[in-house]
Amino acid sequence: MTSTEPSVFTKIVAREIPATIVAEDDRVIAFEDIAPKAPVHVLVVPKTQQYATVSELASADPGLLAHVVATAQRIADERAGGQFRLVFNSGEAAGQTVFHVHAHVLAGDLQEGTLAS
């Protein structure tokens, strides 16, 4: 699914919206969540908004999905002793509000409730 409007994450990649960036390379950007649900709550986002959900990404570009997971692991290694929860919300009913695939890296004492975005 490709949107004609840039997602909020595409705007972060373009530096049109500020974010606290913790990792970046040519394929992904990772930044702190603005409404954290845990002491460590970082989003890992592919720089392309071509894929809305993790299933779309897995089908079309499994290498990029593996890169997202590897980036999540590096962040968890640096910030949480390597232990983390990795969450992908897929679909509005599952709490997805930004339809640009992204992974939530969560570590530490996790708050109860849903993860929206």
Side-chain angles (χ1 to χ4, degrees):
M1 171 193 295
T2 304
S3 173
T4 57
E5 294 295 318
S7 75
V8 65
F9 298 151
T10 297
K11 291 178 181 182
I12 289 171
V13 169
R15 304 304 198 267
E16 295 171 10
I17 295 175
T20 303
I21 298 168
V22 300
E24 183 175 19
D25 61 28
D26 61 328
R27 303 179 77 195
V28 300
I29 189 167
F31 49 89
E32 293 180 359
D33 193 288
I34 61 169
K37 306 293 185 203
V40 174
H41 189 166
V42 173
L43 301 180
V44 181
V45 181
K47 288 188 171 180
T48 177
Q49 79 174 45
Q50 181 176 357
Y51 313 108
T53 67
V54 67
S55 296
E56 289 179 12
L57 177 59
S59 294
D61 193 343
L64 181 54
L65 176 56
H67 189 69
V68 168
V69 173
T71 301
Q73 181 67 63
R74 279 194 310 279
I75 291 165
D77 289 346
E78 293 168 4
R79 294 178 167 229
Q83 298 184 48
F84 67 107
R85 181 186 297 176
L86 189 62
V87 176
F88 291 90
N89 296 327
S90 292
E92 190 174 343
Q96 186 175 8
T97 59
V98 178
F99 292 88
H100 178 152
V101 66
H102 57 286
H104 295 259
V105 180
L106 299 142
D109 291 332
L110 303 180
Q111 297 176 14
E112 293 301 318
T114 60
L115 296 173
S117 83

